[in-house]
Amino acid sequence: MNLVEQEHDAKKDHINEIVLSEDVQRAIEQVLQSSDPLDQPDFNPTDYINQLFPNEQSLSNIDEVIAKMECDISLIDDNIRSVVRGQVNTGENGRVALKEAQQSLTQLFSLITDIKSRAEKTEDAVKEITRDIKQLDSAKNNLTYAITTLNHLHMLVGGVENLKRLSERRQYGEVLNPLQAIIEVNQHFQQYSEIAQIQTLSAQVQQIQSELATQITDDFKNFFSPTSHSNANRMTLTQLKDACQVASVLDKPVKKNILKWFINLQLQEYVQLFHENQDIAWLDKIDKRYAWVKRHLLDFEEKYGTVFPADWEVSERITVQFCTITREELAKIVARRRTEIDVKLLLFAIQKTANFEQLLDKRFNGTTLVEATSEEVRPERGSFSSLIGSCFKPYLDIYTDSIDRELTALIEQFAQANQQMVVPKEINPGILPNCADLFVFYKKCMVQCMQLSNEKPMYDLVLLFKKYLREYAAKVLEARIPKPQPPNTTTSSISSSMSLLTKDFQNLSTAAGQVIHNFLKEGETPRFSSEDMRKICYILATAEYCLETVQQLEDKLKEKIDKQYVAKVDLSDEKDVYHRIISNCIQLLVHDLDAACEQSLLLMTKIAWHSISNVGDQSGFVNQIITNLKQTVPVIRDNLANSRKYYTQFCHKFVNSFIPKYINTLYRLRPTSSGSSSASGTAALVASASSSSLSEGGANSGAASGGNILGCEQLLLDTHSLKTVLMDLPSIGSQVQRKPPASYTKVVVKGMAKAEMIIKVVMQPVHPASLYIEQYLKLMPESSVVEFHKILEMKNVRKIEQQQLVEAYKRACPQLQQQPPASSATAGSQAVGAESGNSMQQSNEPPTSGGNSTQSQQIAAAAAAISGAGSSIMALGDSLMDKGRIKKIENLIKNRLPN
């Protein structure tokens, strides 16, 4: 019953709970401002009680608090009752207020209706009052229009007679204003052209205009005619000025005809003086043409500058006509005497013409250029640019041919001077000086061609730039890259190398690389001197500068050339050439350092690892490799100080080449000396290999003697020393130690870790077989049958035992059953080719061909099934190897680590 009551009380509390929104709560707080905690929206009874009674001693005044609460409750009850009583009459009051509002609306509607009717009556009264006013206003407008028309008619009738009289007297100053007025009035009467009198007057006006046009034209010809100087009726300059004003008022053809005749008259002397048959008309005297027009314009403006109105732009029109005639005459002369033009003469004529056109752009505003010619010869309207110079554009191939010859001579000069190339003595020599000279010449040609044309000649120049960028790369840079002398090869080495190719058709590319590698290894491998290495770095830095500058050149050409040729400007092939030079230089440096280390790796194979009696300091071949690295790498680093990214590439390529060779060399070693296996051990091996599951007893029964593994321990020490040196390779021999890039560190760690795992696997005893395969799969999860064969060869395992171990290995990795069988020799040649080509090849093979991504998962699963749950690599090593010797190796490695 108590539970039911509690649930009822809880539901009751939940129902009575009132949740108000934030907006409502803020409104309540604004109306009822209170600081009492009981009035707060987030009131918490527990916190409030804890505030009233913070400790046990405060409970002594609980009666006072309860009494105060009861008093507050009674006050609230009284307030609620008063509010409830006040709301009793609220509904009645609302109905009364609504009724009053309805009555007010009815009264308002009646008032509005009354106002509307009064407004309509008022409007009718106003219309009645203003009816007569509108009639009077219309009569006034008609009368005004009639008076104006009569005045215009009077002006037209009187003006026609006056114009006839003034025109006969050639009083053009007095003709101007009446003529303007009569022309405007005549335009006004065109709407009354059906009236006979108006037609007659309009015909008289047209006749007066025609007579004035003929008369003014004759007066101009009489005034400027060479034979009219003795004529007594010759006009004065003032009359001529007034006549120009009258011609401006007349029809446009009048002004146009006068200007055409006058401009031809002004240039008549020029046409005769610079006729194409005259010696002065040839390009070598082109500046005399421009000097003539300058003098003529000065003389014209001094004599007649005040005669012609400013808006006629007579000086500009003369200049434009001069440019048109000059362009046409020069085009005919150049076409006829093309064989006599050389680039010097062409550039002289173009430069003088461009300077003259720039002067005209500054002197005139170009408003008359649109009327000058119907042929589009300017790049943009309003500019004198190319108005004359366009006649030279068809012959700019003379200029590009000259640039071709100059660049040919320049490259030959660079190539000859480059035969005695000496690298500066400073640590960072910079770039070849002639490289900067080439691009300075390119810039000069580009600026010069922009002044001539940015269309086809500019594109022809781009093609020349492309050609000689390749020429410079081939004749100057690639030709001076030092090359080591090829070693002597014997017939036997060639035949053995060819047999290597025929044995491995599945990986022909890597086998071919191995053949080349074998050729290079015959005899003493040639090395670059320190000067040669500095020269290679010198050429690499120059190629890098060319690469960056070619990109800037391409961007600038695209910016300057005409839009129709922008898409054709592409220097990507030339950039690829310089990329190839850089890559070749890096590869030569890598090959040189590889050659230095090959002798050390060869020395490594000469050591009798199986007979080492104690593990000491790092081997001599390691010291030799470190010495070679310290002699070579600092020289390359110092000379590529401004090409850090390519120095990093060099380090990457070297470790990618050296580590697979080092692993390859490891496979050729025999670092252990195994004891002879007993008959019982062989039987145990066979039983172990054929069983589907392995027990501890089986493992123990298959044990055999481990033999001498001190050679493996020494190799492990040497491998760790090499790993430490390779990690520090980018900063080797430098006072400033920099952290190598993460990608470089990853390659070194992964490659050298594989070498260490190979040595650790070799250190393990092959008996029992199940335990050996289990550890092999854990140490080398991405291995293959080929590598398994090679490691068994390193351990000097007998052939029959190898076959049995391989069968057990294949059963542990079922996916290997689908691979074709391979002999140890063939498998070894495949591994050599694969690892010399790319140390990372196995991790990139696709899963469909037995790729190692799927293979590693299956091997891991098989290893987990064999080993049980969760045994670690170090735990297996500790259980199978001598802990004292492992501890000794660790101490030796720690002693070799840098402080």
Side-chain angles (χ1 to χ4, degrees), residues 600 618-627 662 718-719 721-722 725:
S600 302
Q618 62 192 22
S619 302
F621 80 92
V622 177
N623 295 329
Q624 212 174 65
I625 291 174
I626 294 174
T627 301
Y662 180 73
D718 294 339
T719 302
S721 299
L722 279 177
V725 172

Side-chain angles (χ1 to χ4, degrees), residues 769-780:
S770 59
L771 195 59
Y772 178 72
I773 293 173
E774 176 187 349
Q775 185 174 2
Y776 180 88
L777 293 175
K778 284 191 171 292
L779 291 177
M780 300 183 66

Side-chain angles (χ1 to χ4, degrees), residues 803-872:
Q803 294 176 0
Q804 294 166 352
L805 286 168
V806 168
E807 291 299 325
Y809 176 73
K810 288 181 178 180
R811 280 193 293 273
C813 306
Q815 76 283 356
L816 297 177
Q817 295 291 340
Q818 300 179 4
Q819 294 183 353
S823 64
S824 299
T826 306
S829 64
Q830 290 174 348
V832 169
E835 294 191 4
S836 65
N838 187 356
S839 62
M840 304 302 294
Q841 182 178 355
Q842 294 178 354
S843 62
N844 294 331
E845 290 179 356
T848 56
S849 61
N852 288 329
S853 59
T854 306
Q855 177 181 343
S856 60
Q857 297 175 1
Q858 295 173 342
I859 291 176
I866 295 174
S867 63
S871 62
S872 66

Side-chain angles (χ1 to χ4, degrees), residues 176-467:
L176 180 61
N177 291 332
L179 178 63
Q180 290 178 329
I182 287 174
I183 291 175
E184 291 177 2
V185 170
N186 190 36
Q187 291 293 332
H188 172 74
F189 280 106
Q190 291 302 315
Q191 56 184 326
Y192 307 110
S193 58
E194 68 275 4
I195 302 174
Q197 290 82 357
I198 299 300
Q199 291 180 359
T200 303
L201 290 173
S202 296
Q204 291 178 357
V205 171
Q206 294 294 334
Q207 183 180 359
I208 291 173
Q209 292 183 21
S210 177
E211 291 175 353
L212 279 173
T214 304
Q215 184 174 308
I216 290 173
T217 303
D218 293 339
D219 290 341
F220 265 90
K221 291 180 179 180
N222 291 333
F223 183 85
F224 290 103
S225 176
T227 59
S228 63
H229 295 288
S230 60
N231 192 346
N233 295 327
R234 188 167 180 264
M235 295 177 63
T236 62
L237 290 177
T238 303
Q239 287 178 314
L240 196 63
K241 181 177 180 181
D242 294 338
C244 291
Q245 297 291 341
V246 173
S248 298
V249 176
L250 296 173
D251 295 336
K252 289 183 179 180
V254 178
K255 171 185 170 183
K256 185 177 180 180
N257 292 333
I258 292 174
L259 285 173
K260 182 178 180 181
W261 172 85
F262 180 74
I263 291 171
N264 289 334
L265 178 65
Q266 295 297 309
L267 295 175
Q268 187 175 1
E269 178 186 353
Y270 169 74
V271 172
Q272 295 175 356
L273 184 62
F274 292 92
H275 190 268
E276 59 179 321
N277 295 328
Q278 302 295 327
D279 292 339
I280 198 174
W282 186 228
L283 296 182
D284 58 345
K285 299 180 178 60
I286 195 171
D287 52 336
K288 296 186 180 298
R289 293 175 179 267
Y290 307 137
W292 181 91
V293 75
K294 292 175 187 177
R295 291 193 304 270
H296 186 77
L297 287 176
L298 290 174
D299 183 59
F300 164 76
E301 290 178 355
E302 182 181 353
K303 291 181 179 180
Y304 308 114
T306 58
V307 173
F308 296 94
D311 59 341
W312 281 29
E313 300 286 353
V314 179
S315 295
E316 182 177 324
R317 292 178 187 276
I318 293 173
T319 305
V320 171
Q321 184 64 16
F322 165 83
C323 293
T324 303
I325 295 173
T326 303
R327 182 183 67 250
E328 294 172 354
E329 291 296 322
L330 287 176
K332 290 191 291 185
I333 295 173
V334 172
R336 185 165 56 89
R337 303 173 63 178
R338 177 188 175 94
T339 55
E340 302 178 30
I341 303 175
D342 58 10
V343 67
K344 185 176 181 181
L345 179 61
L346 180 65
L347 292 179
F348 169 78
I350 291 175
Q351 187 63 46
K352 292 295 182 181
T353 302
N355 294 339
F356 178 68
E357 290 170 347
Q358 291 175 4
L359 179 64
L360 296 183
D361 277 328
K362 295 177 181 178
R363 172 64 179 83
F364 303 112
N365 55 23
T367 55
T368 64
L369 282 173
V370 180
E371 307 172 13
T373 177
S374 59
E375 181 184 2
E376 189 64 31
V377 294
R378 297 170 301 281
E380 58 181 10
R381 294 185 177 181
S383 173
F384 284 88
S385 177
S386 299
L387 189 58
I388 301 175
S390 60
C391 68
F392 298 116
K393 287 184 179 180
Y395 308 98
L396 288 178
D397 57 327
I398 298 174
Y399 167 75
T400 53
D401 291 344
S402 170
I403 297 298
D404 192 358
R405 292 190 296 272
E406 290 185 33
L407 282 172
T408 300
L410 192 64
I411 295 297
E412 291 298 329
Q413 177 186 345
F414 290 164
Q416 292 176 5
N418 212 33
Q419 292 178 0
Q420 295 82 27
M421 182 178 68
V422 178
V423 183
K425 297 299 182 183
E426 57 266 20
I427 291 180
N428 187 16
I431 63 171
L432 287 171
N434 55 30
C435 175
D437 295 341
L438 177 68
F439 286 105
V440 168
F441 184 80
Y442 272 19
K443 181 180 179 181
K444 173 187 173 184
C445 294
M446 185 171 62
V447 172
Q448 194 175 49
C449 190
M450 271 298 300
Q451 297 174 352
L452 305 179
S453 173
N454 68 337
E455 296 177 354
K456 189 177 184 304
M458 178 67 81
Y459 179 65
D460 293 339
L461 191 66
V462 171
L463 297 180
L464 288 178
F465 286 173
K466 289 167 63 69
K467 173 184 175 182

Side-chain angles (χ1 to χ4, degrees), residues 685-844:
L685 174 64
V686 174
S688 165
S690 60
S691 61
S692 59
S693 62
L694 303 173
S695 62
E696 293 183 1
N700 293 331
S701 64
S705 59
N708 182 15
I709 61 171
L710 291 178
C712 293
E713 294 175 357
Q714 182 64 46
L715 276 175
L716 196 61
L717 174 64
D718 294 339
T719 302
H720 185 81
S721 299
L722 279 177
K723 178 181 177 181
T724 304
V725 172
L726 292 178
M727 290 289 289
D728 189 47
L729 181 66
S731 300
I732 192 170
S734 174
Q735 297 179 354
V736 180
Q737 295 295 320
R738 294 185 179 181
K739 185 177 180 181
S743 58
Y744 174 82
T745 304
K746 182 178 179 181
V747 172
V748 174
V749 170
K750 186 171 183 179
M752 297 306 291
K754 182 177 180 180
E756 291 174 345
M757 292 302 103
I758 291 171
I759 298 171
K760 288 182 180 180
V761 168
V762 174
M763 293 172 71
Q764 313 308 318
V766 296
H767 306 301
S770 59
L771 195 59
Y772 178 72
I773 293 173
E774 176 187 349
Q775 185 174 2
Y776 180 88
L777 293 175
K778 284 191 171 292
L779 291 177
M780 300 183 66
E782 297 182 357
S783 182
S784 63
V785 177
V786 174
E787 288 183 325
F788 189 70
H789 265 294
K790 296 174 76 172
I791 289 174
L792 293 180
E793 291 287 343
M794 291 177 68
K795 294 180 66 63
N796 286 321
V797 178
R798 292 184 301 175
K799 296 295 182 181
I800 185 170
E801 293 180 355
Q802 285 187 26
Q803 294 176 0
Q804 294 166 352
L805 286 168
V806 168
E807 291 299 325
Y809 176 73
K810 288 181 178 180
R811 280 193 293 273
C813 306
Q815 76 283 356
L816 297 177
Q817 295 291 340
Q818 300 179 4
Q819 294 183 353
S823 64
S824 299
T826 306
S829 64
Q830 290 174 348
V832 169
E835 294 191 4
S836 65
N838 187 356
S839 62
M840 304 302 294
Q841 182 178 355
Q842 294 178 354
S843 62
N844 294 331

